[in-house]
Structures are given as structure tokens and as C-alpha cells.
């Protein structure tokens, strides 16, 4: 194949970054279940440490040597290299959970006295870490919703964080209502408050769209974060996380990862390498199924409202953001059932094929009740303002046959 043809990421997931000749010719990357690596010579060990600790610049074509699995391991490095292809990132770092990716990135980019601006609602764990952990270290945190326009966001910063803004952190689409935040606009806000000696960064948790349907770095974000437990892992059998961005920022985050010790283990890395081979296939099928499910829900008399990106109306600001930043309507569909918590619970308890469980982005379809489960920790007033009420149900659509998913939803709605 000519050298200059750029292959699609899905064509590279089976081979990229792996050299069979370094592993006895094994076609597949083995699990490097080892804590430490043997140096050929003392000089090689010295040189690996010089690079790892940044004591000198890498020479042309020089790769960091393998030292110890808290610093690096082939399963992690190959996984990181493959992950960069989807987002067009310079570098990636993988973690033992989405939360460790998020908390390590936030701790590296913030220091006492700084202000963090964040979108509401956030994933429950992130919300807790920001409100209860970061604030213990003298970091001020300010939330905003998709109802805030650019002027209102800038006014929030001017009135409460003048000169102290360090990071904007968002999730878009917001979980569970699929509200969108404008990545390019928020990058421009970050830029507006940056000074020559202090850059304000924009970080985006892209878990909800996965690496296939939205590429925040290309829209201006400095960092993209994933719970790799969700679409990237995709089989509900592993907890993992990832963070991607420029070489310089990822190097900083990897250094903190080394000292917090929250890198992914080799077995986690291997499972994710396997999952990445089918990432595109799975996500395509999930989005395809979700479109059928959303259509079915929209015409059902027991359903009051459907929250699905594919239903945004042309001419609205949300639709414009959707067209600019999302490549698909995704596989997360939420809806308000006619009634309240009681009716929602009756529906959830009647499901057979779809499992009643939190998490998302996996091969099996899942259903849950945000107000009493994933979002129970969000302030009641915020929940009400955002429409996270007793009648709201969140579905993550899997790869089953779409008719089977729909008939399960249909029979459960009949029981309400
Ligand atoms: C699940 C999730 C997380 C946390 O990831 P873990 O892998 O469970 O630690 C963070 N953000 C979002 C949007 C999530 O859905």
C-alpha cells in the first residue's frame, strides 16, 4: 500500500503500533503481565531514566524505554497510540477508571486560588470530586448551564473569578437530557481570559459521544476525557479511563499519574485493545438502533417527551451546535413517561431484555432512573431546572436487534 494513504482509524485498530517481531511473532499483542522490565545494560537503564524524568530531551527517533509498569507498559503504550487516532490527538494517557483520568487531569491543571468553571449537570462522580474535593484545596468552583449565553458566562467569570480562571470543564451532550454546550464558543471564552503568563484551558468529557461521534480537540478543546468503561470498553466488563491532548499537556498529566499510581494495568490495557477493534462497528449499530427506538418512543401515547439529538429542530441554537460538533445523534435516548416516579418504576421493573443498570455505551441495552440513581446527588433545584424529574428514564441502546429492543420497551410501557 502506498505510504501516503491515510487509513481510517477502524482499519488501524488491529495492528497500529504493535511489532510482532518483538513478541515471538505473535499476531496479537500479548498481555505484558510484568511489573518491571530487564535493562540490556546499565547504560540503557540510565538513559531510560534520564528520559522518564525529563533530565534530557529525546534524541531523533528515540523512544522511551520500558522501565516499570507504573510508568509504562507495552499494552498501555500501544493502546494510547491507537486511541490518539480517533480524536486526532498528539498524545494519550490511560487510567484505571474514568474518574482517575478526570481527577488526575483536574489536579494537574488546578492549584489553590484558581477558579474552575464547569457545566451543569456533570457525571455524579465528577460533580462530587469538584464540589467536595477540589474545594478542600482552595479551588473555587462555578457552575453554568446550557441556558447561559456567552455574555452571561463571561459576566460570571468577571464578577466572581477575575484573573483567577484556570480551567473550563464541560460535558456535552449533558447526561441525561442531551443538552449541548458549544465547544468552540467556550474555547473562545477560555482564550478571552488567558494571559501571556497564564493559559486558561478547556477540557471536555466526551464519554457520551465516544471517540467516534465527536472530536472536541478538533473543535478547539485542549483536553478530551473518557470513561473508557463506556463505549471504548463497550462490553460492561472493565473499568478504565483516558485523557488526550497535546504532547505537552499529556506529559504533565502522565507525570502526576506516575506519582498517584492510577495508570491502567496491563490486563485492562489488553481488554481495551481488543474492544477498539470493534469500536466503530458497535457504535454504528448502536446509533442505528437508537434512531429506531427514538422514533418508536416519539409516537407512543404513554411517552410525553423524548430527549434525542436526532430530534433537534432546524433553526434552533441547539440544532446549530449539533450540526457543528456531532457526527451522529448517538445511542443515548431519554424520555419522560406520562406520570411520575411510580410510572417510571413500573416501566423499569417490567423490562425483560433491557437490563435495569447504570452505565452506558455497552453492547447490551440498559435503562435507569436518573433522578433517584445517577443524578441523585445533583441539587434538587438544579435537577428541576434541567428537567431531571421523576418521570425521566434514560436508555443506553445496545447492539441487539432493534425490533427486540422496541418490543421490550413496548411491552413494558403496556404494563404502566
Ligand atoms: C461513567 C462516567 C464517568 C466515570 O467513569 P468511570 O470509568 O466509572 O470511573 C465520567 N464521566 C462520564 C460522562 C461517565 O459516564
Amino acid at each position: 500500500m502506498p505510504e501516503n494513504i491515510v487509513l481510517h482509524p477502524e482499519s488501524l485498530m488491529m495492528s497500529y503500533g504493535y511489532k510482532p517481531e518483538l513478541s515471538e511473532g505473535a499476531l496479537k499483542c500479548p498481555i505484558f503481565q510484568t511489573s518491571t522490565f530487564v535493562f540490556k545494560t546499565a547504560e540503557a537503564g540510565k538513559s531510560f531514566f534520564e528520559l522518564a524524568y525529563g533530565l534530557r530531551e529525546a534524541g531523533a527517533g528515540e523512544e522511551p524505554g520500558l522501565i516499570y509498569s507504573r510508568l509504562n507498559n507495552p499494552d498501555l503504550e500501544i493502546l494510547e497510540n491507537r486511541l490518539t487516532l480517533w480524536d486526532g490527538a498528539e498524545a494519550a494517557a490511560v487510567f484505571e477508571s474514568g474518574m482517575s483520568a478526570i481527577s488526575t487531569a483536574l489536579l494537574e491543571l488546578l492549584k489553590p486560588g484558581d477558579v474552575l468553571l464547569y457545566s451543569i449537570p456533570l457525571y455524579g462522580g465528577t460533580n462530587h470530586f469538584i464540589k467536595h474535593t477540589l474545594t478542600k484545596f482552595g479551588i473555587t468552583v462555578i457552575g453554568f448551564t446550557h441556558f447561559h449565553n456567552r455574555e452571561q458566562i463571561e459576566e460570571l467569570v468577571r464578577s466572581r473569578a477575575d484573573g483567577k480562571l484556570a480551567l473550563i470543564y464541560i460535558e456535552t451532550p449533558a447526561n441525561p437530557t442531551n443538552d449541548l454546550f458549544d465547544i468552540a464558543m467556550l474555547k473562545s471564552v477560555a482564550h478571552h481570559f488567558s494571559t501571556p503568563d497564564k493559559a486558561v484551558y478547556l477540557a471536555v468529557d466526551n464519554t457520551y459521544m465516544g471517540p467516534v461521534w465527536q472530536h472536541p480537540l478538533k473543535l478547539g478543546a485542549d483536553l478530551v476525557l473518557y470513561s473508557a468503561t463506556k463505549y471504548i470498553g463497550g462490553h460492561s466488563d472493565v473499568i478504565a479511563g483516558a485523557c488526550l491532548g497535546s504532547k505537552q499537556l499529556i506529559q504533565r498529566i502522565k507525570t502526576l499519574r506516575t506519582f498517584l499510581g492510577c495508570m491502567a494495568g496491563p490486563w485492562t490495557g489488553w481488554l481495551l485493545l481488543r474492544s477498539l477493534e470493534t469500536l466503530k462497528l458497535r457504535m454504528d449499530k448502536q446509533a442505528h438502533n437508537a434512531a429506531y427506538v427514538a422514533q418508536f418512543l416519539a409516537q407512543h401515547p404513554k411517552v410525553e417527551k423524548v430527549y434525542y439529538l436526532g430530534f433537534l429542530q432546524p433553526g434552533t441554537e441547539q440544532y446549530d451546535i449539533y450540526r457543528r460538533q456531532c457526527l451522529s445523534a448517538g445511542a443515548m435516548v431519554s424520555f419522560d413517561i406520562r406520570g411520575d416516579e411510580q410510572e417510571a418504576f413500573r416501566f423499569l421493573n417490567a423490562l425483560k431484555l433491557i437490563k435495569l443498570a447504570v452505565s452506558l455505551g455497552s453492547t447490551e441495552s440498559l435503562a435507569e432512573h436518573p433522578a433517584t440513581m445517577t443524578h441523585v446527588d445533583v441539587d434538587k433545584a438544579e435537577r428541576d431546572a434541567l428537567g431531571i424529574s421523576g418521570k425521566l428514564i434514560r436508555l443506553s441502546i445496545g447492539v441487539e436487534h432493534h425490533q427486540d429492543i422496541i418490543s421490550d420497551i413496548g411491552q413494558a410501557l403496556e404494563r404502566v
Side-chain angles (χ1 to χ4, degrees), residues 346-348 350-352 407-416:
R346 217 168 279 153
F347 169 80
L348 290 169
L351 290 169
K352 291 183 178 137
S407 60
D408 194 30
I409 294 173
Q411 67 79 23
L413 282 171
E414 288 312 311
R415 303 276 295 279
V416 177

Side-chain angles (χ1 to χ4, degrees), residues 97-100 102 123 126 169 171 175 205 207-208 226-230 239-241 359-360 394:
S97 68
M99 276 318 302
S100 55
I102 293 165
Y123 176 74
T126 313
Y169 183 96
E171 266 174 39
N175 171 7
D205 179 335
T207 302
Y208 231 59
Y226 291 104
S227 166
T229 311
K230 313 297 164 56
I239 300 277
S359 199
L360 60 99
R394 187 187 81 179

Side-chain angles (χ1 to χ4, degrees), residues 213 231 280-296 308 328-333 397-403 405-406:
W213 298 326
Y231 289 105
K280 180 76 168 44
L281 268 181
R282 286 185 279 112
M283 291 182 72
D284 281 351
K285 172 74 171 168
Q286 288 174 264
H288 179 80
N289 281 350
Y292 282 109
V293 170
Q295 291 293 348
F296 174 77
Y308 171 62
S328 160
M332 297 300 295
V333 182
I397 305 302
V399 301
E400 304 91 340
H401 197 292
H402 67 88
Q403 281 164 357
I405 303 173
I406 287 171

